[in-house]
């Protein structure tokens, strides 16, 4: 048997187990596209039998990759991955992936690898193999996989598309909603049902023909449809008991799984039970098993009885228990002294594998022990070097718990923080930081840990630290460590701002300047405070944001997720600094790729996606949104995900894609009353724009007025990309109620002029133009368009052109209205903003224009986001393999999407594709474009 033994091969009935094996075989033989299955069933339900039947039926040319989780390996970094790909050549992988994957499965020392690079290497390795033959991946006991292997496997599953790869994972989890992340990776759930009485009777008849009818009936009652019980219960009976000539032993026919082995365990003798326990504790090779047995005073022949009774089986990898349920049964059957002997035997046998040894040392040790703590530290360091951050963090925490000296224990617990932060472990990170804070001996140390807690809160969904706690800690440390106090307050202000609580953030910023001289503050902290000044409508104390401040950032700071670049750069994008932001983000992405920090690319690209939104490359933006959301999910940095999803939803609202927009808003803000203020505010803005786009003007006015009131309550004078005033005013103007908002308009206009905010001033002038006297219309709209030219935003510029045309028609200048309406129509059609284009055509028709028909679909409408991303990469000159590496796809998937793009765009070469994209994306005359990097 390759994967365990719920029942011997070929001896299960043609019931649900055989049917599921047939489903899996049909998928694997189809040769693509990729399929993923999660085989779910409780202990003894026949999972391993189904996997074995499936494997035996695979075509000879199939490349089979297998691994199985083991309770002893759940904390061992990449234990399952090593088993899965060991023996496959890595030479053809890109250098970064080759090094990362090689180090992950080989454990060579060196600088820590990025977990995403390991996963990307697995994707390339598997999909390259699938280009020449079908690949099948079988994972048994997936519940016991180590976290790093599970993450890499799920990354692979999410990225498979047109590839001839079938993944089948078996899990014991059957509870609704508990699928270990496999559902999110598009695994199809297959649930194992219990055997019917007829199917169970057929199984017993085939395997145990000597059973009397009465005995078979009793066994069927006790087994309750579990294949494992039907296969094992008769083995517990003597020949006379099977034949019905001797009474059945009721004490050996219990309902629990453990009772399936009672008699046979008793017949093994003490030495046999101890030997079976040793081989069940870890997946030992034969030499390792021999050493472990010798340490306990045993030899390999002591396993003969277990093998003969079917409690153990001999496989190519070594002697293994016949089923995972043997381990708890044999543990319960031996005294505590023998359990300790078994563990010490395994520990001695694993002297050359400190990671595996450390797990058993931790299990056998009670209390503190520096030797054990040192072994656990060594395991933590090895896991860190291999990019297995979750396992590294767990080993550091375990090492601290075993350390007898408090100061050293504190230091080891501190070492758990870097890997915890790298793997996005929210609740666990917070718990460790809180312990460290409680153990801190100085105010400065407590302030440092509190700052780290704030960083952890930013990238997870943890309840934020109350600001009074931050203020007390900052005051306590201001005299002793002023820079630490300033950094703590700035970090808290950063968190408050990202949540939308600008008034609270401003109070923290003012306190920081009061408590600490500016000279004691860092560059990014001062930038955060200046951004908060802008958002709250106050003139900044200095002009850092408009200086060449990015030259003072090192590559290390660009690669540090704790540096508050997202807030600063997001603010700059929406206040006219797009070119500067593009330069900084290009440099950041380069630093992340050179440094191998692929897991942080989602955070960088989440900001880069704003640039094509502004310049009007909405096809590019939609493709980027898709990639960013997948990257954030792949890397567990899910804190910023709602922010990205809401930006995406805002774009869909402008395009009038109602169902997709509402679905995305619901994913980003599933419970509005529990969401952060900024997410609630954004939700109102987006749904208000959607209503305005679809023509539901009353609904739009209500939603957008609520958004404006929320903005005021939070102290957001400068709300950034969620600014809803232009939409609010247009909704009221359509309802002939624009005059009600003139006071708010005056406030916006004055603020925009005072702060030199060109985009806000353009919107204010557009709104004034809608309410203006006929003689002032042209001048106001001309000024609005001039402000748009300084700070380009394709959609808002087209909105201004549309408003100009609408106003001109209403003052009976229909001929003059046509020109701005045509310009608006052209832009709306290029953006794919269908409802807005329809509105422009309706206005043209009202002006007597009869040629305002819908334009032919362009690239934006023709290609899916994935096809767009592939086409752009190829047009940039990348090969298919380079495109696959950039987009974290397989080469076959790239080929599939590229072929679709060729067909849809009626081109036949890479050169034609590049020319077509260049022609459609060329800027209009006089338009200033930001060049994507």
């Amino acid at each position: 048997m390759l994967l365990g033994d719920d029942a011997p091969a070929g001896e299960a009935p043609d019931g649900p187990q055989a049917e599921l094996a047939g489903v899996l075989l049909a998928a694997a033989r189809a040769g693509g596209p990729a399929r993923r299955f999660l085989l779910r069933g409780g202990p003894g339900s026949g999972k391993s039998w189904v996997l074995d039947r499936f494997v035996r039926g695979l075509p000879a040319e199939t490349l089979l990759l297998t691994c199985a989780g083991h309770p002893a390996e759940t904390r061992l970094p990449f234990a399952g991955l090593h088993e899965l790909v060991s023996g496959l050549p890595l030479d053809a992988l890109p250098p970064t992936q080759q090094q990362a994957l090689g180090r992950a499965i080989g454990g060579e020392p060196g600088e820590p690898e990025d977990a995403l690079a390991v996963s990307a290497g697995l994707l390339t390795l598997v999909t390259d193999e699938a280009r020449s033959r079908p690949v099948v991946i079988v994972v048994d006991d997936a519940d016991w996989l180590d976290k790093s292997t599970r993450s890499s496997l799920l990354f692979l599953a999410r990225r498979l598309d047109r590839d001839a790869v079938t993944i089948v994972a078996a899990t014991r989890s059957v509870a609704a909603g508990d699928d270990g992340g496999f559902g999110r990776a598009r695994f199809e759930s297959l649930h194992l049902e219990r055997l019917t009485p007829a199917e169970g009777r057929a199984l017993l008849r085939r395997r145990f023909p000597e059973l009397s009818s009465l005995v078979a009936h009793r066994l069927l009652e006790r087994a309750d449809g579990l294949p494992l019980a039907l296969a094992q219960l008769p083995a517990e009976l003597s020949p006379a008991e099977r034949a019905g000539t001797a009474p059945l032993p009721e004490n050996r026919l219990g309902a629990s799984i453990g009772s399936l082995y009672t008699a046979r365990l008793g017949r093994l003798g003490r030495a046999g039970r101890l030997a079976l326990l040793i081989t069940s504790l870890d997946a030992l090779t034969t030499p390792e098993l021999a050493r472990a047995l010798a340490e306990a005073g045993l030899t390999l022949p002591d396993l003969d009885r277990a093998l003969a009774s079917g409690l153990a089986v001999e496989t190519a990898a070594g002697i293994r228990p016949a089923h995972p349920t043997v381990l708890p049964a044999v543990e319960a059957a031996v005294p505590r002294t023998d359990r300790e002997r078994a563990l010490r035997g395994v520990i001695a046998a694993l002297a050359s594998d400190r990671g595996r040894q450390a797990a058993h040392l931790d299990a056998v040790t009670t209390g503190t022990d520096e030797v054990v703590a040192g072994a656990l530290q060594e395991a933590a360091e090895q896991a860190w070097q291999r990019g297995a951050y979750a396992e590294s963090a767990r080993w550091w925490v375990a090492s601290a718990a075993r350390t007898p000296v408090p100061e050293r224990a504190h230091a080891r617990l501190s070492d758990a923080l870097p890997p915890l932060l790298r793997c996005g472990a929210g609740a666990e990170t917070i718990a460790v930081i809180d312990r460290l804070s409680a153990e801190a001996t100085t105010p400065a140390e407590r302030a440092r840990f509190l700052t780290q807690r704030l960083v952890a809160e930013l990238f997870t969904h943890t309840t934020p630290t109350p600001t009074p706690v931050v203020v007390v800690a900052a005051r306590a440390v201001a005299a002793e460590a002023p820079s630490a106090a300033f950094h703590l307050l700035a970090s808290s202000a950063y968190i408050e701002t990202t949540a939308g609580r600008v008034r609270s953030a401003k109070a923290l910023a003012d306190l920081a300047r009061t408590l600490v001289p500016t000279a004691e503050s860092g560059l990014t902290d001062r930038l955060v405070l200046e951004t908060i000044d802008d958002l709250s409508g106050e003139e900044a104390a200095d002009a850092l944001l408009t200086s060449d401040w990015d030259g003072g950032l090192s590559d290390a700071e660009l690669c540090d997720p704790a540096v508050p670049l997202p807030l600063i750069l997001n603010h700059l994008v929406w206040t006219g600094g797009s070119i500067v932001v593009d330069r900084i983000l290009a440099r950041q992405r380069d630093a992340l790729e050179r440094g191998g920090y692929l897991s942080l690319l989602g955070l960088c690209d989440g900001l880069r996606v704003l640039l094509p939104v502004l310049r009007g490359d909405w096809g590019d933006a939609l493709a980027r949104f898709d990639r960013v959301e997948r990257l954030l999910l792949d890397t567990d940095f899910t804190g910023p995900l709602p922010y990205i999803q809401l930006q995406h939803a805002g774009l869909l609202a402008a395009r009038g894609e109602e169902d997709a927009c509402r679905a995305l808003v619901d994913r980003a803000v599933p419970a509005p009353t529990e969401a952060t203020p900024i997410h609630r505010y954004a939700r109102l803005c987006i749904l208000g724009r959607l209503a305005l786009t679809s023509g539901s003007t009353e609904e739009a006015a209500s939603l957008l007025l609520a958004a404006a009131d929320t903005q005021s309550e939070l102290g957001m004078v400068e709300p950034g990309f969620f600014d809803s005033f232009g939409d609010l005013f247009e909704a009221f103007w359509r309802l002939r109620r624009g005059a009600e908002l003139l006071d708010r308009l005056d406030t916006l206009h004055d603020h925009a002029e005072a702060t030199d905010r060109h985009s806000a001033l353009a919107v204010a002038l557009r709104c004034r133009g809608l309410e203006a006297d006929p003689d002032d219309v042209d001048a106001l709209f001309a000024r609005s368009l001039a402000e748009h030219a300084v700070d380009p935003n394709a959609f808002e510029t087209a909105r201004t052109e549309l408003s100009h045309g609408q106003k001109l028609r209403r003052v009976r200048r229909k001929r003059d209205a046509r020109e701005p309406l045509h310009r608006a129509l052209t832009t709306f059609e290029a953006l794919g903003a269908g409802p807005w284009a329809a509105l422009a055509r309706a206005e043209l028709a009202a002006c007597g224009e009869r040629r305002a028909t819908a334009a032919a679909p362009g690239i934006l409408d023709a290609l899916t986001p994935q096809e767009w991303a592939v086409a752009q990469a190829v047009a940039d000159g990348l090969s298919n393999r380079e495109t696959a590496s950039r987009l974290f796809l397989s080469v076959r998937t790239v080929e599939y999407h590229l072929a679709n793009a060729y067909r849809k765009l009626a081109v036949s070469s890479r050169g034609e594709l590049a020319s077509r994209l260049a022609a459609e994306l060329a800027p209009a005359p006089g338009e200033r474009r930001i060049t994507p990097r």
Side-chain angles (χ1 to χ4, degrees):
M1 296 290 287
L2 294 172
L3 300 161
D5 186 15
D6 279 1
E11 295 188 16
D14 294 327
Q17 286 72 14
E19 291 176 11
L20 290 183
V23 169
L24 299 177
L25 276 172
R29 289 168 178 165
R35 297 285 297 274
R36 312 150 193 82
F37 297 96
L38 183 63
L39 190 61
R40 305 179 71 169
S45 60
K47 297 183 299 297
S48 295
W49 183 91
V50 173
L51 294 183
D52 190 72
R53 167 72 74 90
F54 167 57
V55 166
R56 291 173 185 272
L58 290 172
E61 68 272 15
T62 304
L63 172 62
L64 176 65
L65 305 176
T66 68
C67 69
H70 191 286
E73 295 179 344
T74 53
R75 292 192 292 173
L76 299 183
F78 296 114
L81 186 64
H82 181 277
E83 183 182 357
L84 193 69
V85 303
S86 186
L88 290 181
L90 308 184
D91 304 356
L93 294 178
T96 300
Q97 296 179 9
Q98 180 179 342
Q99 176 177 307
L101 188 55
R103 186 169 289 164
I105 64 176
E108 298 89 350
E111 290 300 312
E113 292 297 338
D114 187 87
L116 188 58
V118 176
S119 300
L122 176 64
L123 172 68
T124 304
L125 183 68
V126 169
T127 55
D128 277 0
E129 291 287 347
R131 291 176 65 78
S132 59
R133 53 183 168 169
V135 175
V136 168
I137 297 174
V138 176
V139 182
D140 202 0
D141 290 320
D143 317 69
W144 291 326
L145 278 180
D146 60 278
K147 185 172 181 180
S148 294
T149 294
R150 178 190 291 264
S151 296
S152 292
L153 187 65
L154 293 178
F155 177 93
L156 168 69
R158 283 192 290 266
R159 299 289 170 153
L160 292 172
D161 191 355
R162 312 311 300 178
D163 311 279
V165 179
T166 303
I167 305 179
V168 183
T171 174
R172 297 173 167 219
S173 173
V174 295
D178 179 19
D179 63 7
F182 287 95
R184 198 176 75 190
R186 296 183 292 167
F187 276 72
E188 304 170 47
S189 277
L190 301 177
H191 291 263
L192 280 164
E193 304 294 339
R194 292 175 183 262
L195 299 180
T196 65
E199 292 164 347
R201 190 173 291 106
L203 184 152
L204 289 175
R205 189 179 301 118
R206 281 197 296 271
R207 185 167 186 192
F208 303 100
E210 71 276 19
L211 286 176
S212 74
S213 297
L214 182 59
V215 171
H217 179 73
R218 291 290 305 282
L219 294 181
L220 284 169
E221 286 181 336
R222 291 303 177 94
D224 194 26
L226 283 180
L228 177 66
L230 289 168
Q232 298 291 340
L233 279 173
E236 290 289 290
L237 304 179
S238 67
E241 290 166 342
R242 291 180 195 174
T245 58
L248 290 178
E250 296 296 333
N251 63 322
R252 286 189 275 119
L253 297 180
S256 69
I257 292 291
S259 68
L260 301 177
Y261 312 112
T262 305
R264 283 172 290 170
L265 285 172
R267 292 194 291 267
L268 294 184
R270 183 172 183 180
R273 287 190 292 274
L274 179 57
L276 179 59
L277 178 58
I278 289 173
T279 198
S280 302
L281 286 172
D282 206 322
L284 302 171
T285 64
T286 300
E288 289 170 342
L289 178 58
R291 289 196 296 273
L293 290 170
E295 185 71 19
L298 304 171
T299 62
L300 285 170
D302 286 303
L303 281 166
D304 288 348
R305 287 187 179 180
L307 289 166
S309 70
L311 291 171
V313 293
E314 195 158 6
T315 71
I319 298 176
R320 299 286 183 266
H323 192 271
T325 53
V326 169
L327 175 58
V330 71
E331 281 185 318
V334 301
R336 177 179 175 182
T337 54
D338 278 5
R339 290 200 297 273
E340 293 176 354
R341 281 177 64 194
L343 276 168
R344 297 196 182 280
V346 172
I347 289 167
L350 297 175
S352 61
D353 191 334
R354 294 290 277 171
R356 290 168 68 197
Q357 187 186 56
H360 295 292
L361 278 170
D362 191 36
V364 79
T365 304
T366 57
T368 58
D369 187 313
E370 181 55 36
V371 173
V372 176
L376 293 167
Q377 174 178 332
E378 190 175 336
E381 291 166 344
Q382 290 176 358
W384 169 258
Q385 290 168 350
R386 295 166 70 179
Y389 304 127
E391 288 80 3
S392 176
R394 289 173 186 168
W395 288 131
W396 277 120
V397 172
S399 176
R402 297 296 182 201
T403 304
V405 180
E407 293 78 9
R408 184 173 293 178
H410 184 81
R412 283 171 169 159
L413 191 60
S414 298
D415 286 329
L417 284 180
L420 279 171
L421 290 170
R422 288 288 288 271
C423 70
E428 190 175 353
T429 305
I430 298 299
V432 168
I433 291 174
D434 288 347
R435 276 185 55 192
L436 290 167
S437 296
E439 296 170 0
T441 56
T442 66
E445 191 179 15
R446 277 191 290 275
R448 177 168 63 87
F449 287 129
L450 186 52
T451 303
Q452 288 178 316
R453 191 187 206 278
L454 294 173
V455 172
E457 292 168 3
L458 183 65
F459 295 109
T460 61
H461 300 284
T462 307
T463 302
T465 301
T467 52
V469 174
V470 174
V471 170
V472 169
R475 290 185 183 279
V477 78
E480 174 189 344
S483 59
F486 195 97
H487 184 50
L488 173 59
L489 289 168
S491 298
S492 184
Y494 174 33
I495 302 299
E496 290 293 285
T497 307
T498 59
R501 293 183 284 267
V502 176
R503 187 169 283 108
S504 170
K506 185 67 172 72
L508 288 164
D510 291 343
L511 178 61
R513 293 191 180 106
T514 302
L515 276 182
V516 181
T518 305
E520 300 286 350
S521 60
L523 170 63
T524 55
D525 287 341
R526 299 204 321 272
L527 286 165
V528 166
L529 267 55
E530 184 172 326
T531 299
I532 293 168
D533 289 340
D534 274 5
L535 291 171
S536 58
E538 181 176 304
E539 188 174 348
D542 48 27
L544 271 177
L545 283 169
T546 55
S547 70
D548 294 329
W549 57 269
D550 56 297
L553 288 180
S554 66
D555 281 0
E557 288 174 301
L558 288 171
C559 295
D560 184 355
V563 174
L565 280 178
L567 173 67
I568 299 164
L569 297 182
N570 177 73
H571 179 64
L572 279 175
V573 166
W574 297 100
T575 55
S578 297
I579 295 175
V580 174
V581 171
D582 191 46
R583 181 184 72 231
I584 296 171
L585 290 176
R587 183 183 159 206
Q588 183 187 44
R589 200 176 210 285
D590 180 63
L592 291 171
E593 289 178 333
R594 282 188 288 103
Y597 299 108
L598 302 186
S599 293
L600 302 178
L601 287 178
L603 302 179
C604 173
D605 290 351
L607 286 167
R608 285 172 66 90
V609 77
L610 299 177
L611 304 178
V613 171
L614 290 177
R615 64 175 175 256
D617 293 343
W618 282 10
D620 184 20
L622 289 169
R624 290 194 189 201
F625 275 126
D626 182 65
R627 295 202 302 274
V628 169
E629 290 168 33
R630 292 172 69 185
L631 268 176
L632 290 174
L633 288 171
D634 285 336
T635 54
D636 286 334
F637 283 99
T638 56
L641 186 58
Y643 172 86
I644 303 298
Q645 290 172 327
L646 287 168
Q647 290 185 79
H648 189 178
L651 187 57
L652 295 175
R655 284 167 57 89
E657 299 182 26
E658 182 168 0
D659 291 344
C661 175
R662 290 187 183 279
L664 201 51
V665 168
D666 288 342
R667 287 210 306 274
V669 192
T673 57
E674 299 174 11
T676 64
I678 193 66
H679 293 158
R680 292 198 301 272
Y681 168 69
R683 182 177 182 274
L684 290 169
C685 293
I686 293 162
L687 294 179
R689 171 163 289 185
L690 181 64
L692 185 69
T693 300
S694 64
S696 302
T697 310
E698 290 278 4
E699 180 187 1
S702 176
L703 289 166
L704 293 165
L705 189 60
D709 291 342
T710 301
Q711 175 186 332
S712 178
E713 291 167 9
L714 295 172
M716 292 190 295
V717 175
E718 176 60 67
F721 81 99
F722 287 127
D723 191 355
S724 61
F725 186 81
D727 291 344
L728 173 64
F729 195 91
E730 181 164 341
F732 270 65
W733 179 76
R734 290 184 189 180
L735 297 170
R736 302 180 185 275
R737 295 171 54 192
E740 297 177 26
L741 299 179
L742 290 179
D743 287 345
R744 296 184 189 229
L745 176 57
D746 289 341
T747 301
L748 171 68
H749 196 156
D750 293 345
H751 171 71
E753 284 190 327
T755 58
D756 209 24
R757 273 274 277 113
H758 300 285
S759 58
L761 187 54
V763 170
L765 290 166
R766 178 174 81 212
C767 295
R768 289 206 182 282
L770 286 171
E771 286 289 321
D773 293 332
D775 293 343
D776 298 328
V777 169
D778 288 335
L780 286 167
F781 279 103
R783 287 178 58 196
S784 177
L785 290 171
E787 297 296 334
H788 279 308
V790 177
D791 189 6
N793 182 320
F795 179 63
E796 290 300 328
T797 302
R799 293 269 302 274
T800 297
E801 296 276 22
L802 174 63
S803 294
H804 190 192
Q806 289 175 313
K807 181 67 175 180
L808 288 174
R809 182 177 72 80
R810 283 157 178 74
V811 296
R812 303 183 183 281
R813 294 172 56 190
K814 293 183 179 182
R815 184 181 298 276
D816 295 337
R818 293 176 185 177
E819 186 176 347
L821 289 173
H822 271 296
R823 287 195 295 267
L825 175 61
T826 298
T827 301
F828 288 141
E829 288 179 334
L831 294 173
W836 292 94
L839 181 58
R841 282 193 293 272
E843 288 288 340
L844 281 165
C847 290
E849 175 72 70
R850 300 305 177 201
R851 293 170 295 170
T853 56
I859 287 179
L860 187 64
D861 301 300
L863 303 184
T864 67
Q866 199 74 286
E867 290 164 355
W868 175 278
V870 168
Q872 268 208 320
V874 169
D876 286 345
L878 272 66
S879 68
N880 288 358
R881 190 167 187 80
E882 290 167 335
T883 299
S885 182
R886 174 191 282 187
L887 302 180
F888 299 107
L889 301 172
S890 69
V891 174
R892 179 171 289 183
T893 298
V894 167
E895 292 170 348
Y896 172 78
H897 290 306
L898 185 59
N900 283 344
Y902 276 18
R903 175 178 52 81
K904 291 179 178 181
L905 302 180
V907 299
S908 57
S909 69
R910 300 169 101 83
E912 285 185 47
L913 178 67
S915 298
R916 177 73 190 277
L917 263 63
E920 293 233 5
L921 299 179
E927 181 184 354
R928 180 165 63 91
R929 276 288 178 92
I930 304 165
T931 303
R933 296 168 186 260

